[in-house]
Amino acid sequence: YGDFSSDSARRALVIAQDVSSFILNGVNSPGDPYSNGFLRVPVVLKQGKNRAIVKLSGFGDHEFIFKLIPVPGPLMLLTKDITTPDFLRGEPACAWAGIPIVNTTKQRLFDIQLKIEGVNIKTGIQMVANIMPFSAVKIPLSIESEAKIETEEDSILITITAFFDTFSTQEDFWIKVKHRDEAYVKTFISSIDNSCQYYAILPPGNYNEDSSYALIMTCHGAGVEARGQVKAYTQKDWAFVVAPTNRRRFGFDWQDWGRLDFLEVLEDVKKNFKIDTNRIYLTGHSMDGHGAWHIGTTHPDIFAAMAPSAGWTSFQLYVPWFLQKSELFAHPDLIKYRDMVLREDNPLLFLENAYNLPIYLLQGGADDNVPPIQARMFCKYLTNLGYDYIYNEVEGKGHWWNIDSTPGTDCVDSKELMDFLKSKVRNPYPGKIVFKTSNVDCSNKAYWVRIDELDNIYYDGLIEIEHAGQKILENDSLWERTDTCEIIVNETNVNTFSLFLDDNFISPGIVNLIINGQRITFEYREPCELSFKRDGDGFFWATRAHSEKSAGRYGPIKKAYFEPFVLVYGTTGDSVSTENNLHQARLQSYTWWYRANGFVEILPDTEITKKIIKNYNLVLFGNSVTNSILKWISYKLPLHIEEGRVIATGDTIRGDLCFVEIFPNPLNPEKFVLLYSATSKRAEKLIGLFPTLYAGAGLPDFLIYDKSALKYGWGGVKAAGFFDKDWKFDKKLSYIEN
């Protein structure tokens, strides 16, 4: 911490690199822990003495920068963080870019105009509806050329101008021009939050757009940009190499929003290029080695093979958690709810899903970043399962390594690894499937079976299914046709499942379906989806495939951020509560921009329309007194605040409390509401103490805590848990402190 003086009350910008957050004159603000260099946080200085408290982060030597600089005007364009595409020479350009705009004033700014100009670029003006005080929004912008890009220069200069009232500010940035046969960047609009995201492509050598190619999906390690990731690979004449971003170079460890980004990129590539869907491969290094394990075991039916390099297992083992406050002080009956949420991110637990997925593990024997014990653990449990795999631990090599000076970096692009991938072809209709999940919203389908509902939610569900009439013909992956076949199913903790029957692996005729020894006979005529639901000790045809809590509407808390959302601050309390609510929304907005390269708007509760309710999840700050949306819906929620208490069915929790709760929006059950509420003014500043927007959060459907959480982490949580299958409060799925 430190004190300094200002000769007047004025605005300033803070640069806080290698700092997780800072408090200036009692106001908490975000820092730049990854030292990205683009973050500028507007603040207000008092005349006279000012105090800054800086929170450091990481495991380094704790050097940091904390600097105040003048405010250049009411608006700033931060081109240091612009997301841009590459233009392709000889082709017309029609692409997206994303640029952050910062409001450095105490006022909400309306009707900002953005103007794009450049040689051979269509001049266009885009309106920005509003930016809240001291807030930043990364706006997606459309950029289109007048004609084909014919320049011989390697870049095109673009000028962007922002107009507000009588003020204007202008910045330049460059868009690179590439040939289609070299690595380039493509942008797209994400369905998660309508933001502009990018991925990098290394096209096949001698690319022919009429030919079909394999696809190598490679995800980068921590601190690496996707555009740099593809440069570690040599060009293949048989495959595209594509690198998604994980939303940022550190991002989300390829979990949660990182995994969703991967899937969005995969779909965009398949839409824009001719990809052989039976020759899609998954690989990557370090953080992405973990990502390959996570994505591969979560969605095993997508890939023909995977090849993790230097991949770690889980947070708990890679950066041990045993010194965390939560590990030391939280009650075991409470902390299990956090761990149940995080369970889906531990690929060691879901290795069974690799039954039909060939695996090549590559590891440096002298790696001091991700030690070989991490890879060896995967090998141990693959061996225990009886699965085939190849493990190549290269003696003496560290974390990032190359054996010789030939093109391609061997720790991700070795000849042996690539030969392994190239030799594998996916069978989309395997005769036997082993599939396990703990969260049907994250992972519920493998090949031709889907788990629709678990018997006990968030506990592991396992299904083993085998086409018992299968006969593999020599040099042929198709099955011999029979008039009658058996499909044998054995399950654990599965309540409802579905089969996708297809002529590719079953002929019309009688099918004997045997579920845990119970026989169901039916006639298969044509491709269909059949669902079966547990009823007592047996399974029967399902007329309703799932409960209210199903894939897409499952929770937990982070689910509110998996599709477009708005941050809604309450305005119906006094000025202090309104400012507290706005500030918490602003902090989340900064976090979403900084961590997710994301786009989100902040709105007051008075401006939430039917259209917004129809199309967005609502993240609400305030309570039924201070937020008018909660006045409408509070008593329809399982938990709500009443007279300064949190009310749950049959229980009342008293004190200066904060609580977080996700629930289908009573005004539109197809979308979520997520509450950040407090029972008192003293508790309002604790809202956001448990952050949601990072991969290790582990917040269940609801969480209630008081100020003791500052000292004890989860040891200060008074109640937490999940709602049941019908989104009702259930003591058996909850912890409430006595």
Side-chain angles (χ1 to χ4, degrees):
Y1 70 92
D3 297 334
F4 62 93
S5 295
S6 174
D7 56 11
S8 64
R10 54 180 167 165
R11 294 173 292 132
L13 295 172
V14 171
I15 299 172
Q17 291 183 215
D18 291 311
V19 169
S20 61
S21 63
F22 65 91
I23 300 172
L24 182 63
N25 298 329
V27 179
N28 188 40
S29 296
D32 180 9
Y34 296 128
S35 198
N36 288 328
F38 61 76
L39 193 65
R40 304 288 184 269
V41 181
V43 297
V44 175
L45 305 182
K46 299 187 298 185
Q47 184 176 10
K49 180 180 175 181
N50 294 261
R51 168 160 288 190
I53 303 173
V54 175
K55 183 176 181 181
L56 306 182
S57 61
F59 299 94
D61 52 15
H62 285 173
E63 293 183 356
F64 66 96
I65 295 171
F66 186 84
K67 183 187 295 186
L68 292 107
I69 61 175
V71 171
L75 282 178
M76 290 180 64
L77 298 169
L78 297 183
T79 52
K80 282 189 175 181
D81 187 43
I82 193 165
T83 300
T84 58
D86 292 338
F87 288 166
L88 296 180
R89 187 168 281 111
E91 299 184 22
C94 183
W96 291 94
I99 186 166
I101 308 176
V102 183
N103 176 358
T104 69
T105 75
K106 298 180 182 180
Q107 288 78 41
R108 182 182 181 185
L109 302 184
F110 293 91
D111 300 328
I112 301 161
Q113 297 183 53
L114 299 178
K115 186 178 182 181
I116 295 285
E117 299 175 284
V119 176
N120 194 20
I121 300 298
K122 289 183 180 179
T123 300
I125 294 180
Q126 181 170 323
M127 299 294 295
V128 180
N130 77 95
I131 305 179
M132 289 294 169
F134 296 150
S135 297
V137 181
K138 190 164 185 179
I139 302 294
L141 296 170
S142 175
I143 302 179
E144 191 172 348
S145 64
E146 297 276 3
K148 293 180 180 180
I149 304 297
E150 301 291 0
T151 180
E152 292 302 315
E153 301 294 329
D154 62 2
S155 300
I156 291 177
L157 180 66
I158 305 292
T159 299
I160 181 169
T161 308
F163 300 92
F164 166 70
D165 199 10
T166 59
F167 173 82
S168 67
T169 183
Q170 187 176 92
E171 295 286 346
D172 294 332
F173 62 92
W174 296 87
I175 291 183
K176 295 180 180 179
V177 179
K178 299 290 187 71
H179 290 284
R180 182 172 280 279
D181 62 353
E182 62 181 321
Y184 64 93
V185 164
K186 187 178 184 301
T187 54
F188 66 98
I189 295 297
S190 170
S191 63
I192 298 171
D193 61 350
N194 300 317
S195 64
C196 174
Q197 303 295 330
Y198 89 89
Y199 59 91
I201 309 171
L202 179 62
N206 301 313
Y207 172 61
N208 181 348
E209 63 181 15
D210 295 325
S211 298
S212 179
Y213 292 90
L215 171 61
I216 300 168
M217 295 289 290
T218 175
C219 310
H220 60 78
V224 178
E225 287 281 0
R227 66 181 73 234
Q229 178 75 5
V230 296
K231 295 179 181 178
Y233 291 82
T234 57
Q235 203 164 34
K236 321 295 178 189
D237 60 5
W238 53 277
F240 284 90
V241 179
V242 168
T245 67
N246 189 31
R247 282 297 184 110
R248 285 286 193 191
R249 60 193 184 99
F250 288 94
F252 301 102
D253 302 281
W254 298 102
Q255 300 167 189
D256 299 327
W257 301 275
R259 177 180 61 85
L260 295 177
D261 174 71
F262 179 99
L263 296 175
E264 281 199 304
V265 170
L266 177 58
E267 290 306 309
D268 197 75
V269 172
K270 291 195 295 184
K271 180 176 70 176
N272 286 284
F273 305 98
K274 293 187 70 174
I275 301 298
D276 181 348
T277 56
N278 289 327
R279 297 168 64 219
I280 297 175
Y281 308 103
L282 172 60
T283 187
H285 176 267
S286 189
M287 178 178 73
D288 170 55
H290 167 75
W293 283 113
H294 173 60
I295 294 169
T297 56
T298 302
H299 306 284
D301 55 348
I302 294 176
F303 308 104
M306 72 173 181
S309 174
W312 45 269
T313 51
S314 66
F315 288 126
Q316 292 91 331
L317 293 178
Y318 180 50
V319 182
W321 284 17
F322 64 90
L323 291 179
Q324 287 187 353
K325 298 174 186 177
S326 298
E327 295 292 329
L328 296 171
F329 296 111
H331 194 285
D333 289 344
L334 165 65
I335 204 70
K336 74 175 185 180
Y337 291 105
R338 181 202 67 177
D339 294 342
M340 289 168 76
V341 174
L342 296 175
R343 192 168 178 82
E344 68 190 48
D345 302 325
N346 184 351
L348 280 172
L349 298 171
F350 301 100
L351 285 181
E352 289 100 324
N353 296 350
Y355 183 84
N356 296 296
L357 184 61
I359 299 173
Y360 183 101
L361 294 85
L362 185 59
Q363 176 71 46
D367 191 338
D368 61 355
N369 190 311
V370 181
I373 190 173
Q374 300 278 333
R376 293 171 190 167
M377 287 180 69
F378 283 113
C379 293
K380 174 182 177 179
Y381 290 106
L382 287 169
T383 299
N384 289 347
L385 290 167
Y387 290 5
D388 290 331
Y389 63 91
I390 294 175
Y391 179 51
N392 183 6
E393 185 174 309
V394 183
E395 184 178 356
K397 296 302 178 183
H399 190 57
W400 183 261
W401 49 271
N402 195 33
I403 292 177
D404 55 40
S405 59
T406 58
T409 303
D410 287 326
C411 63
V412 293
D413 192 33
S414 72
K415 182 179 184 304
E416 294 82 0
L417 185 153
M418 287 298 148
D419 286 347
F420 174 85
L421 295 181
K422 188 177 179 180
S423 69
K424 305 302 180 185
V425 178
R426 180 185 70 135
N427 176 8
Y429 305 103
K432 182 177 179 180
I433 303 168
V434 181
F435 182 63
K436 181 180 180 182
T437 185
S438 63
N439 180 344
V440 297
D441 196 56
C442 173
S443 174
N444 69 348
K445 182 179 180 297
Y447 306 98
W448 46 276
V449 65
R450 183 181 68 210
I451 297 177
D452 297 302
E453 182 182 324
L454 298 174
D455 208 22
N456 294 306
I457 57 176
Y458 288 103
Y459 288 85
D460 295 346
L462 175 68
I463 192 165
E464 295 188 27
I465 185 166
E466 185 171 4
H467 187 292
Q470 176 185 5
K471 179 180 179 183
I472 301 294
L473 303 178
E474 186 176 357
N475 299 321
D476 195 345
S477 63
L478 296 178
W479 292 328
E480 184 178 19
R481 303 307 191 198
T482 60
D483 292 331
T484 303
C485 73
E486 281 189 344
I487 298 176
I488 300 173
V489 178
N490 289 289
E491 58 75 31
T492 302
N493 193 37
V494 174
N495 185 273
T496 309
F497 69 92
S498 298
L499 304 180
F500 300 88
L501 303 184
D502 191 280
D503 291 345
N504 285 285
F505 69 97
I506 188 171
S507 295
I510 300 300
V511 176
N512 290 319
L513 178 64
I514 303 172
I515 310 172
N516 298 339
Q518 171 196 357
R519 184 181 298 270
I520 299 175
T521 300
F522 60 91
E523 184 179 1
Y524 169 72
R525 297 179 179 178
E526 58 186 7
C528 61
E529 174 185 341
L530 301 177
S531 298
F532 301 89
K533 187 176 182 67
R534 184 187 301 276
D535 187 355
D537 294 330
F539 279 81
F540 299 90
W541 299 100
T543 55
R544 184 165 175 260
H546 48 72
S547 60
E548 292 297 324
K549 201 171 198 182
S550 59
R553 300 270 69 80
Y554 198 73
I557 284 167
K558 63 187 174 184
K559 178 65 180 179
Y561 304 94
F562 279 16
E563 56 190 9
F565 62 96
V566 291
L567 305 174
V568 184
Y569 69 96
T571 63
T572 54
D574 61 22
S575 59
V576 174
S577 290
T578 297
E579 178 55 34
N580 284 339
N581 291 335
L582 173 57
H583 186 63
Q584 293 298 332
R586 182 163 48 227
L587 288 176
Q588 276 209 10
S589 174
Y590 270 107
T591 301
W592 187 245
W593 163 38
Y594 184 84
R595 284 189 174 272
N597 194 30
F599 167 72
V600 64
E601 289 189 276
I602 302 172
L603 292 173
D605 51 3
T606 53
E607 296 181 17
I608 301 305
T609 64
K610 290 182 179 179
K611 183 176 180 181
I612 292 172
I613 291 170
K614 178 182 178 181
N615 294 309
Y616 292 89
N617 292 336
L618 305 182
V619 180
L620 305 174
F621 298 88
N623 56 38
S624 58
V625 174
T626 65
N627 189 307
S628 62
I629 303 296
L630 281 169
K631 283 185 179 180
W632 303 346
I633 67 174
S634 179
Y635 290 96
K636 296 182 179 180
L637 305 179
L639 279 69
H640 61 276
I641 292 176
E642 182 179 316
E643 298 178 352
R645 306 166 297 168
V646 178
I647 305 295
T649 304
D651 289 279
T652 299
I653 307 171
R654 302 177 185 275
D656 296 321
L657 303 169
C658 292
F659 86 94
V660 191
E661 175 184 21
I662 189 172
F663 194 75
N665 188 347
L667 304 174
N668 175 17
E670 296 302 310
K671 298 293 180 181
F672 281 119
V673 289
L674 174 59
L675 284 63
Y676 290 90
S677 295
T679 60
S680 66
K681 274 194 168 54
R682 286 188 293 271
E684 281 180 351
K685 290 192 175 183
L686 296 174
I687 291 174
L689 182 61
F690 287 89
T692 308
L693 302 175
Y694 80 105
L699 305 187
D701 291 346
F702 68 90
L703 190 77
I704 303 172
Y705 59 93
D706 65 12
K707 68 178 182 180
S708 65
L710 289 166
K711 291 184 178 180
Y712 305 119
W714 276 72
V717 172
K718 306 305 175 187
F722 301 107
F723 300 123
D724 70 11
K725 296 177 183 179
D726 295 314
W727 282 98
K728 295 179 180 178
F729 179 78
D730 186 341
K731 281 192 174 182
K732 292 182 291 186
L733 297 172
S734 308
Y735 170 89
I736 298 179
E737 185 179 79
N738 295 325

